[in-house]
């Protein structure tokens, strides 16, 4: 099965997107105000059950890389997968920052395909910031946007055919 290279998610669909099978997720949403968000206005990250399997997550939101968010993303990421590459600000991003998306995604998808996803995302950010398109946005503080490596902490279930794991229960027939 092949995954989609990029999934861009509109506001209100972050919960469905975080479990999607894609190499790169770009989520544009609003965060709860304050430096310790546990999710977005439309999504409580702690309530999500699907694993986070994307290689790259770009959170176009204020406080998208706050420590509470990074901890929750690590808990959603299976430990058996390589670390998640996250690009987001740890603080409020007061201006429209979606202008970073186009040049960033273009650089990420057309750039070198060697190195870890964190290295590739860092190189794509550098390339995007050097474009004339982003140079025109001098009022934005792009230094707030950093790349983070998030190792997964979600346990991996071992499934033995014919047996139930500790978290699985057999289906009971309904009458």
């Amino acid at each position: 099965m092949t995954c989609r290279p990029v999934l861009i998610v509109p506001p209100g669909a972050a919960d469905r997107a975080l479990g999607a099978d894609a190499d790169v997720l770009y989520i544009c949403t609003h965060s709860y105000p304050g430096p310790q968000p546990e999710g977005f206005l439309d999504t409580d990250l702690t309530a999500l059950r699907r694993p986070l399997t994307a290689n790259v997550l770009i959170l176009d939101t204020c406080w998208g890389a706050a420590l509470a968010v990074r901890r929750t993303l690590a808990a959603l990421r299976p430990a058996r997968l390589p670390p998640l590459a996250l690009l987001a600000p740890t603080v409020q991003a007061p201006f429209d920052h979606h202008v970073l998306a186009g040049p960033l995604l273009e650089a990420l998808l057309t750039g070198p395909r060697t190195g870890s996803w964190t290295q590739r995302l860092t190189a794509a950010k550098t390339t995007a910031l050097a474009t004339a398109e982003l140079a025109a946005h001098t009022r934005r503080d792009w230094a707030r946007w950093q790349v983070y490596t998030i190792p997964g902490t979600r346990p991996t279930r071992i499934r033995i055919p014919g047996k139930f794991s500790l978290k699985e229960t057999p289906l009971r027939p309904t009458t």
Side-chain angles (χ1 to χ4, degrees):
M1 177 166 85
T2 60
C3 64
R4 293 177 270 186
V6 177
L7 180 61
I8 298 176
V9 180
D15 56 340
R16 292 191 324 259
L18 285 169
D21 191 18
D23 284 337
V24 178
L25 292 177
Y26 171 78
I27 298 176
C28 179
T29 188
H30 292 285
S31 289
Y32 292 112
Q36 293 298 321
E38 291 185 0
F40 316 121
L41 290 180
D42 59 352
T43 305
D44 177 1
L45 292 175
T46 61
L48 297 180
R49 298 292 170 243
R50 293 178 66 192
L52 174 57
T53 59
N55 295 307
V56 174
L57 177 58
I58 301 165
L59 285 178
D60 191 344
T61 184
C62 297
W63 299 289
L67 184 57
V69 172
R70 293 191 318 243
R71 280 188 194 134
T72 304
L73 293 175
L76 291 171
R77 180 118 180 123
R80 64 178 166 72
L81 294 179
L84 173 71
L86 171 69
L87 175 66
T90 56
V91 295
Q92 186 175 11
F95 301 104
D96 288 340
H97 32 274
H98 63 276
V99 293
L100 178 62
L104 178 70
L105 290 171
E106 180 180 354
L108 184 60
L109 297 174
T110 62
R113 299 199 181 265
T114 58
S116 70
W117 280 98
T118 300
Q119 293 167 327
R120 292 170 63 180
L121 184 57
T122 301
K125 178 187 171 201
T126 301
T127 300
L129 292 177
T131 64
E133 185 176 348
L134 290 182
H137 298 281
T138 56
R139 292 179 40 189
R140 289 172 178 82
D141 183 4
W142 298 117
R144 295 172 185 228
W145 289 75
Q146 296 296 313
V147 176
Y148 298 87
T149 301
I150 313 288
T153 61
R154 183 183 183 125
T156 302
R157 276 194 251 182
I158 299 174
R159 189 171 161 95
I160 301 169
K163 303 284 182 187
F164 299 107
S165 74
L166 293 175
K167 295 188 179 184
E168 293 179 307
T169 55
L171 295 175
R172 292 191 172 91
T174 58
T175 55

